[in-house]
Amino acid sequence: MTIFKNKTLEGYILKIVTIFCMLFLVVTGLLLEQLQWNSWDIALTLVFQAFALTIFSFKFRKRITAGFDRALLHIEAVKMEDYNQYAKSDFDEGNSNELHLALKALSQHLQQQKSRYDQHAFLLYQLIDQLNTPMLVFNKKQKLTYANAAFSILYNQPWQMYRLASPKLLGLIETDSGWSIPRKGQQWQISQSKFIDSGEEHFLLVFTNIDSALRASQLNAWQQIIRVMGHEIRNSLTPVSSLAESLSTQMISPREQSALALISDRCLHLQDFINRYSSLSQQLDLHYQSIELSSFVERLKALNPELEVTTQVKESKLWGDTTFLEQVFINLLKNAKEAGATKVKFTIVRVKNKCKIELEDNGHGFANTDNLFVPLFTTKPQGQGIGLTFCRNIIEQHKGTIDLENNADLANKNSQTGVTISITLPLTS
C-alpha cells in the first residue's frame, strides 16, 4: 500500500506504529493463550487493545505532525508578509523547538527588512512627488497606481482622474526601442525601470522633456555664432566708422559729406544690431516682486489704445520681474498689431501652483510656426528675428514656458484666425 511508503513523515510514522501495534497484539495474544484464556476472552481483549492502540497511534501521529503543521502556517504567513504570526512548539527543547525559534527569528528579521524597505519606499514616493518631471507607476497588470504632481504637465489633470488607466488609454505607445508619447510641440524621452512593492512587480516610467535640452544646445550654437560675428564685425566697423568721421571733416562737397555721414550712420546701426543680438547670450538679473495682475493688464491696455483688449483675470497676483515681463507682453502685443489684429483677449487662470496666461488675437497668424523662436529667423520683411527669442529667454529664466499656435491649427477653433500664445509661470520663485 502507498500509505506505508516512506515518502512522507506521516507514512513513516504510520508504518512504524502499525508494525509496533501488530507485534504488541500478537505478543499479547500468545501470552493470553499461554495463560489458557478461552478464545472469546482473548478476542475481546485484543479488540479493546486494538481500539486503544488505534487512538494512541492517531494521537501520537498528531503530536508529531502538529509542530510541522504550525510551522507550515507560519511559513504561509511569512509568504503573505504577515510577520506577527508565530508558531509555538509543543516541546520546550530539542529539534522541534529549535525549528520554531528559527522561524520566529526569520520572521523578525524579515519584519525589520520590510520596515526599512517601507521607509525607503515612502521616502522614494515623497521624492518622486517633489520632482517636476512626470513619473508614472504601473502594476504588473499595466494599470496606473501612482503618479506625481507633475502628471498634470502631460494631461492637465490630477493623476487620480486616471487611476487604474492603461498605458494605451494614456496615449503611451510601447515599441521595441521603448515607450513614446506623441505630443505636438514637445519631445519626451521615456525611461523605464522595474521595482517590487508589497510583493508585486511594478514598473516606473520617467518622462524627460528634451525640448529644453535641444533648445539650450541650439541657443548655445547661435550664441557662439553671434559672438564670433560680433567680434569680427566690431573689429571691422570701428576703423570704418572712424575713417568716415575723419574724412567728413575734410570734405567740402555736401554730397560727399552726406555719403560719409551715411556710412557712419550705418556703422552705428550695425553696432547697435550686434549689441542687441549679443543680449541673447546674457543671463538676466531678475528682480522678483509681487505683481498685481489686474494693474499689470491695465497698463498694457493703456500702452495699446488702438487694440480692443478684453480680459478674464481669475488669478490676482504673480511673482516675477515686472520690467522684463512687461517687455514680453509689449513685444507680443506689438507682433499682434503688426499681424493686423484689432482685438486681443487676455485670459489669466491658476493651474495647480502655476499661473497660465493666454493671449489671443484676431490677426492673420503666422505662415510658419516651426522656427519662430530661432534667433535671426523672421517672417517679417523688416524683422530682425530677435523679439520672440528674447521673450522666450525672459519666460524661461522665470522658470516658465511659452507656446504659440495659430488659431486655425487648434481643433476647436477651425473657423477663427489669429494666434494664441500660452505662457505658464510659477506663482512663487
Side-chain angles (χ1 to χ4, degrees), residues 170-427:
L170 294 170
L172 298 173
I173 302 173
E174 186 177 15
T175 62
D176 294 337
S177 58
W179 291 91
S180 63
I181 178 170
R183 278 288 187 275
K184 185 175 181 181
Q186 293 180 327
Q187 298 185 63
W188 295 93
Q189 182 181 29
I190 306 175
S191 57
Q192 175 182 336
S193 59
K194 294 183 178 180
F195 66 97
I196 304 296
D197 185 20
S198 299
E200 182 178 322
E201 185 178 69
H202 292 69
F203 66 93
L204 173 70
L205 297 184
V206 180
F207 293 72
T208 304
N209 190 344
I210 61 176
D211 278 349
S212 57
L214 292 174
R215 287 202 301 270
S217 177
Q218 183 187 66
L219 183 59
N220 183 61
W222 280 110
Q223 289 170 353
Q224 293 288 346
I225 294 173
I226 290 169
R227 278 194 287 268
V228 173
M229 289 175 58
H231 177 74
E232 295 300 323
I233 292 174
R234 286 192 185 96
N235 287 345
S236 299
L237 288 177
T238 301
V240 171
S241 178
S242 298
L243 182 60
E245 290 177 359
S246 177
L247 288 174
S248 65
T249 60
Q250 302 176 19
M251 296 298 170
I252 301 175
S253 170
R255 181 178 179 182
E256 292 173 343
Q257 290 181 347
S258 176
L260 291 171
L262 178 62
I263 292 174
S264 179
D265 180 68
R266 295 312 298 171
C267 287
L268 292 174
H269 175 78
L270 285 174
Q271 287 179 337
D272 179 64
F273 177 84
I274 292 300
N275 290 334
R276 291 179 67 192
Y277 272 102
S278 66
S279 66
L280 292 176
S281 61
Q282 296 175 358
Q283 184 71 23
L284 301 177
D285 183 17
L286 300 178
H287 298 283
Y288 283 91
Q289 59 182 328
S290 180
I291 302 173
E292 193 72 34
L293 289 173
S294 296
S295 302
F296 182 82
V297 174
E298 289 300 321
R299 286 197 300 273
L300 293 173
K301 290 172 66 175
L303 291 172
N304 298 273
E306 64 274 31
L307 287 176
E308 181 183 337
V309 180
T310 59
T311 61
Q312 185 178 2
V313 181
K314 294 184 178 180
E315 180 60 32
S316 59
K317 293 184 179 181
L318 177 67
W319 190 255
D321 188 299
T322 305
T323 303
F324 280 113
L325 289 180
E326 277 190 355
Q327 189 60 50
V328 167
F329 287 98
I330 289 172
N331 287 353
L332 296 178
L333 291 172
K334 177 176 176 288
N335 287 343
K337 289 186 288 186
E338 292 176 350
T342 58
K343 298 179 180 180
V344 175
K345 179 181 179 182
F346 269 98
T347 303
I348 304 176
V349 296
R350 180 179 185 139
V351 180
K352 290 288 185 180
N353 59 339
K354 295 184 179 180
C355 178
K356 184 175 182 180
I357 305 173
E358 282 193 351
L359 187 66
E360 181 181 348
D361 67 55
N362 65 342
H364 55 65
F366 291 95
N368 181 5
T369 59
D370 293 336
N371 300 303
L372 289 176
F373 293 106
V374 175
L376 305 179
F377 177 85
T378 180
T379 58
K380 304 174 185 177
Q382 303 299 323
Q384 297 178 344
I386 190 173
L388 288 176
T389 306
F390 180 69
C391 290
R392 188 175 69 175
N393 186 29
I394 292 175
I395 295 300
E396 290 188 345
Q397 290 200 39
H398 277 82
K399 300 178 182 178
T401 61
I402 178 171
D403 295 303
L404 182 151
E405 192 165 13
N406 285 326
N407 291 339
D409 296 334
L410 301 176
N412 60 341
K413 298 181 180 179
N414 290 328
S415 61
Q416 297 185 17
T417 58
V419 172
T420 296
I421 299 174
S422 299
I423 296 175
T424 302
L425 293 166
L427 288 172

Side-chain angles (χ1 to χ4, degrees), residues 65-160:
T65 60
F68 292 97
D69 291 337
R70 285 193 290 270
L72 288 173
L73 291 174
H74 189 156
I75 294 172
E76 189 66 26
V78 169
K79 289 170 61 178
M80 300 298 293
E81 297 187 358
D82 181 4
Y83 304 115
N84 295 318
Q85 301 293 329
Y86 298 137
K88 185 178 180 181
S89 173
D90 288 334
F91 307 97
D92 295 334
E93 298 180 359
N95 292 335
S96 176
N97 185 57
E98 290 179 3
L99 171 64
H100 288 83
L101 290 176
L103 287 174
K104 183 177 180 180
L106 176 62
S107 291
Q108 293 173 342
H109 175 69
L110 292 176
Q111 176 66 50
Q112 293 175 354
Q113 285 192 328
K114 185 176 184 299
S115 297
R116 286 196 295 268
Y117 174 82
D118 289 343
Q119 291 175 357
H120 294 162
F122 177 73
L123 292 174
L124 175 63
Y125 279 112
Q126 277 194 322
L127 176 62
I128 288 175
D129 200 50
Q130 296 299 318
L131 296 177
N132 292 325
T133 299
M135 295 186 179
L136 280 62
V137 177
F138 293 86
N139 61 17
K140 64 179 181 180
K141 295 181 180 179
Q142 292 202 346
K143 300 296 183 182
L144 180 67
T145 58
Y146 182 79
N148 61 353
F151 178 91
S152 58
I153 296 176
L154 292 172
Y155 300 98
N156 297 320
Q157 288 183 333
W159 76 269
Q160 291 84 354

